[in-house]
Amino acid sequence: MVQTGSHFLLKRCSGSARFVQMRQSLFSLLDIVPRSVDELMRFIGKFRTKDGSELDIELAVCEALVNAIVHGNELDPSKRVYVTCHCVMDGEVCISIQDEGPGFDPGCVPDPIAPENLLLTSGRGIYLMKMFMDEVSFRKRGSVVQMRKNPNDSSNCYQEIRSARKPLFGTAT
């Protein structure tokens, strides 16, 4: 059985930046990754102008989820992966993915573009996340990856939402 839970909350970020948050709790099953990523990207798409960078976010999230399930939780379906996504109204996206594994030392991950590693069939996930996102960091001994994508220049989704004069998440803004 596949279970996801999503919660949408309008909150205030540091300063006066407004953001919306989505949370997912996923079983450690690889077959739920595409559906979970699709749901997350639909959410992000409401706050970020399409400019091609959405593919970068999608690929980084996919890599992080697969790493959490395979390496962190060792494909144990009784363990969960927790995803939190903040979308700031200017288009900035912050994503945190946490597994229930023991963690790892990110500094000990071999360089995937070193000549001796070029032909390996795995080991590029963290490298790709760092290439696709503006910031990537690890916490809790590597069991949490945090990624950030800067706002895109033409992101005016919040202004479009306000001009529609419809309540946002059940409350007037």
Side-chain angles (χ1 to χ4, degrees):
M1 173 182 236
V2 176
Q3 176 185 356
T4 64
S6 300
H7 306 284
F8 302 91
L9 304 168
L10 186 61
K11 294 188 172 186
R12 287 222 173 252
C13 196
S14 61
S16 62
R18 295 168 56 113
F19 68 91
V20 179
Q21 174 179 301
M22 175 184 176
R23 292 184 180 186
Q24 295 176 313
S25 175
L26 312 169
F27 289 114
S28 291
L29 301 168
L30 286 175
D31 61 346
I32 66 171
V33 170
R35 190 177 90 200
S36 175
V37 171
D38 286 347
E39 182 180 346
L40 187 65
M41 294 311 297
R42 280 192 303 275
F43 174 73
I44 291 170
K46 294 176 184 176
F47 304 97
R48 191 172 174 87
T49 303
K50 287 191 177 191
D51 65 355
S53 66
E54 60 275 4
L55 183 58
D56 294 349
I57 298 168
E58 183 174 351
L59 292 171
V61 168
C62 189
E63 289 292 338
L65 283 175
V66 169
N67 281 354
I69 292 169
V70 173
H71 301 295
N73 289 348
E74 298 177 331
L75 295 168
D76 181 347
S78 70
K79 292 184 178 180
R80 308 289 288 207
V81 174
Y82 304 96
V83 180
T84 303
C85 177
H86 291 110
C87 289
V88 180
M89 296 302 177
D90 66 1
E92 179 184 38
V93 176
C94 299
I95 301 165
S96 173
I97 297 176
Q98 179 173 356
D99 61 59
E100 294 181 338
F104 72 104
D105 182 355
C108 292
V109 175
D111 180 2
I113 60 172
E116 65 273 14
N117 298 328
L118 288 176
L119 298 178
L120 296 177
T121 58
S122 65
R124 292 174 183 82
I126 293 171
Y127 175 80
L128 292 172
M129 285 184 259
K130 289 180 177 181
M131 293 300 296
F132 293 137
M133 300 298 281
D134 293 310
E135 284 183 37
V136 176
S137 62
F138 295 91
R139 293 186 19 243
K140 294 188 179 181
R141 297 182 320 273
S143 64
V144 177
V145 60
Q146 294 179 311
M147 303 180 288
R148 187 176 67 77
K149 192 70 165 173
N150 291 331
N152 45 13
D153 293 333
S154 60
S155 185
N156 60 359
C157 294
Y158 183 59
Q159 296 304 324
E160 292 173 16
I161 291 170
R162 289 196 65 150
S163 66
R165 305 243 186 246
K166 291 181 183 177
L168 181 61
F169 303 102
T171 60
T173 56

